[in-house]
Amino acid sequence: MVGKNAELRELLRYFRQDGNQLVILYGRKNIGKSDLLKQFLRNKKYMYYAARQASPQLQRQMMGEEIQKKYQIKIQSFDYDTFFNRIRSGDGSKLVLVIEDFEYIAKKDPEFASSIRKLKEKKLYPGPVMIILCSSSIAWVENDMVECLGTCAKKVTGFVKVREQGFVNVVQKLSDYSVRECIEVYGILGGVPGYLSRWDTKQGLKENVCRHILAKDGFLFQEAQQYIKEELRELAVYNTILEAVASGRRKLNDLFLYTGFSRAKISVYLKNLMAFEVVEKLSSFETGGWDNAQKGLYAIRNTYIHFWYRFVYPNLSDLHMMAEEDFFDLHIALGLEEYLNECFRKVCMEYLQLMSMVNQLPIQIHKMGTWVGKQGSIDIIAQNSIRENIVGICNWSEEFLTDAMYERLLVSMEQARIKAKSFYLFSAREFDAAIRQRSEEDPRLVLVDMNRL
């Protein structure tokens, strides 16, 4: 199970604690929660129940029947107090109770939260128990769950959030691909295990995009809009805003002029998308040149949704009338290189973070970000606790990372009013002779080609 070691260690840490624990495990769908749980539950006594969208009565009926079947018992009263009284490990070891998609129960049946609280307090099952309540609704867990659970929320021992995998894990997953091919896939799918597991590394990028994203029966064809529809209403409004942001309209006023919606309405919908981790508000790295930085910029945070609304959604009419391969050539291939610049910057940041962790940088990174100026930008600023900086350029699409790019970086640094201890220049292609010569003369300049990533 690549990339989930941190979350697994966290679950094991809670399990090894004395007494009872109540842990909330959450993360978006396809992020790998099920695989994580399978590994965690190995060699442990557990009761697992997957909640469904059903009436409270049917939900209790289904859970009761599964408990009867697992423990070979008869239950007279189908209520949660009875259920949690009858579960057991059988040998005195700690029992793990896992309830998947628990929000389907908690939202409709207050009895559930009351019984979970009693179980945590040893008022039902007498033996040691670790309760893991799982959810795929990030927004609900982080914004509404506490109110929904009431006093039970005070009994939560901890939260474990399952996040997307980093680029290193993607490279391990796509071991048959070159680094460049891995970055291309990462820029389309992100680090979502459920997506990556279906990608065929025996086929190229175009073949996979056509089969899995553009084909009507592809497993990702409906994914972007389904992801929005599951928790957010008024899909037409969200579609309009996401298409606008994906096309480069990143300021509130730009969205207002393009969509025709009021600024107040757009702000509300952007807030909802941010809660759902679909959109983010960009903040330039804090420097002395705050007056020269752009402010109030929005971007699509979810990688696959960004790809869909950038390339596919605006051109659906053509997709319905064209072969998938022709659509790819016309609407995706020409714009893909520019689109992947942002992904490459993310990969370069991860590289610096990992190098910092093994003490291979001139500074120990405390925070890192991007500076977006009114006349220029800085791809990477990495800073330590005493405000010493590493500044980086990330070149994905140009044939050469040139000395002129470095000169423009110095101008942007003047506008941002920062200095650098070192410069890391990343290129997916080549470095021109002038910048190579400069790096030989100036030890502060480090040239990193893509193979070193």
Side-chain angles (χ1 to χ4, degrees):
M1 182 185 58
V2 177
K4 297 303 172 195
N5 290 333
E7 290 95 335
L8 179 60
R9 286 195 298 269
E10 206 167 352
L11 289 175
L12 288 171
R13 179 174 64 83
Y14 286 123
F15 179 79
R16 290 166 183 154
Q17 292 177 0
D18 294 334
N20 291 355
Q21 295 78 41
L22 171 56
V23 175
I24 308 298
L25 176 70
Y26 71 109
R28 54 160 294 176
K29 287 188 176 180
N30 289 301
I31 204 65
K33 296 189 299 299
S34 295
D35 288 341
L36 173 64
L37 282 170
K38 287 177 183 177
Q39 182 155 343
F40 170 71
L41 294 172
R42 193 174 298 161
N43 300 321
K44 296 179 179 65
K45 300 296 179 67
Y46 66 89
M47 171 65 205
Y48 174 91
Y49 176 73
R52 290 74 143 176
Q53 295 199 49
S55 68
Q57 180 179 355
L58 179 58
Q59 195 81 251
R60 291 193 296 269
Q61 183 71 28
M62 291 187 294
M63 183 184 288
E65 289 175 353
E66 292 189 23
I67 289 174
Q68 288 184 131
K69 181 179 179 180
K70 179 176 178 64
Y71 295 107
Q72 298 295 302
I73 59 175
K74 285 291 184 181
I75 294 177
Q76 301 301 322
S77 178
F78 277 58
D79 59 78
Y80 292 108
D81 278 4
T82 300
F83 298 160
F84 300 152
N85 194 315
R86 302 300 300 275
I87 57 176
R88 59 183 183 272
S89 67
D91 58 6
S93 61
K94 181 172 285 188
L95 174 70
V96 182
L97 171 66
V98 179
I99 302 180
E100 191 87 59
D101 295 321
F102 79 100
E103 70 273 16
Y104 294 154
I105 311 176
K107 288 179 181 180
K108 294 184 177 182
D109 195 340
E111 178 194 316
F112 172 77
S114 174
S115 296
I116 289 290
R117 177 178 55 78
K118 293 176 187 176
L119 178 61
K120 169 69 165 52
E121 295 173 341
K122 293 183 176 289
K123 294 178 180 177
L124 298 174
Y125 174 68
V129 61
M130 178 179 180
I131 309 158
I132 303 179
L133 302 181
C134 305
S135 176
S136 298
S137 178
I138 295 173
W140 181 79
V141 168
E142 294 184 348
N143 298 298
D144 304 315
M145 186 200 74
V146 170
E147 182 178 355
C148 184
L149 293 184
T151 57
C152 179
K154 297 178 181 179
K155 301 299 179 181
V156 173
T157 310
F159 293 80
V160 177
K161 186 174 184 178
V162 185
R163 304 176 188 274
E164 286 194 25
Q165 295 179 351
F167 180 67
V168 169
N169 306 117
V170 174
V171 171
Q172 292 175 318
K173 185 76 174 176
L174 307 177
S175 57
D176 292 336
Y177 270 15
S178 67
V179 174
R180 184 177 187 84
E181 289 172 318
C182 289
I183 292 173
E184 291 172 340
V185 177
Y186 191 44
I188 295 172
L189 303 184
V192 181
Y195 298 169
L196 293 165
S197 64
R198 305 282 290 274
W199 197 267
D200 183 2
T201 55
K202 305 301 181 185
Q203 300 290 323
L205 180 83
K206 178 178 178 179
E207 290 79 9
N208 274 285
V209 170
C210 291
R211 175 67 191 92
H212 299 307
I213 297 174
L214 303 181
K216 307 303 183 296
D217 61 346
F219 81 97
L220 286 172
F221 181 75
Q222 298 285 353
E223 175 67 12
Q225 295 198 323
Q226 189 63 37
Y227 189 82
I228 304 298
K229 283 168 60 178
E230 282 186 357
E231 298 205 32
L232 298 172
R233 300 176 182 177
E234 298 185 76
L235 182 61
V237 177
Y238 289 111
N239 279 341
T240 304
I241 293 174
L242 287 168
E243 190 275 335
V245 176
S247 66
R249 296 167 176 88
R250 303 198 295 169
K251 288 193 170 185
L252 185 61
N253 193 57
D254 296 334
L255 295 172
F256 163 70
L257 294 173
Y258 182 75
T259 65
F261 302 143
S262 70
R263 291 179 177 85
K265 180 173 183 176
I266 294 169
S267 296
V268 169
Y269 282 81
L270 285 171
K271 182 179 179 181
N272 293 339
L273 287 168
M274 287 189 285
F276 201 34
E277 297 191 349
V278 173
V279 165
E280 62 183 338
K281 190 171 185 178
L282 301 179
S283 297
S284 279
F285 195 94
E286 292 184 13
T287 70
W290 182 245
D291 291 342
N292 296 321
Q294 288 197 56
K295 304 170 186 69
L297 296 178
Y298 294 90
I300 299 179
R301 177 178 178 179
N302 182 297
T303 303
Y304 180 68
I305 287 178
H306 189 190
F307 176 83
W308 177 266
Y309 283 93
R310 169 66 177 81
F311 294 105
V312 185
Y313 179 80
N315 303 299
L316 278 174
S317 296
D318 280 352
L319 183 56
H320 285 293
M321 300 305 294
M322 298 171 67
E324 290 87 0
E325 293 78 8
D326 295 336
F327 182 94
F328 182 94
D329 293 339
L330 179 63
H331 291 297
I332 298 177
L334 296 179
L336 192 58
E337 288 295 285
E338 179 185 357
Y339 166 83
L340 288 171
N341 277 316
E342 184 177 333
C343 174
F344 186 56
R345 180 168 60 245
K346 183 179 177 182
V347 170
C348 296
M349 285 182 171
E350 184 175 335
Y351 171 86
L352 288 176
Q353 193 69 58
L354 291 172
M355 293 293 283
S356 176
M357 290 171 62
V358 294
N359 299 312
Q360 295 297 309
L361 294 181
I363 66 173
Q364 196 73 30
I365 294 176
H366 176 66
K367 61 179 180 177
M368 184 160 45
T370 298
W371 187 83
V372 182
K374 296 175 181 177
Q375 297 179 347
S377 62
I378 302 173
D379 290 332
I380 299 175
I381 302 174
Q383 191 175 89
N384 64 10
S385 58
I386 58 173
R387 296 182 177 273
E388 294 176 321
N389 301 312
I390 288 176
V391 170
I393 299 175
C394 306
N395 171 56
W396 170 264
S397 56
E398 297 298 324
E399 186 175 356
F400 291 94
L401 193 158
T402 66
D403 194 64
M405 293 179 184
Y406 175 71
E407 291 289 348
R408 289 198 294 272
L409 171 65
L410 296 179
V411 172
S412 294
M413 289 174 61
E414 288 183 10
Q415 295 175 348
R417 298 176 192 159
I418 64 166
K419 296 181 179 180
K421 190 177 181 70
S422 297
F423 298 85
Y424 274 69
L425 311 183
F426 298 89
S427 183
R429 297 178 185 269
E430 299 290 339
F431 299 92
D432 75 358
I435 195 65
R436 287 186 180 278
Q437 180 65 32
R438 190 189 288 260
S439 70
E440 291 177 3
E441 297 170 355
D442 187 346
R444 297 179 305 157
L445 271 65
V446 180
L447 307 186
V448 184
D449 67 35
M450 190 161 53
N451 290 327
R452 281 183 62 183
L453 295 176

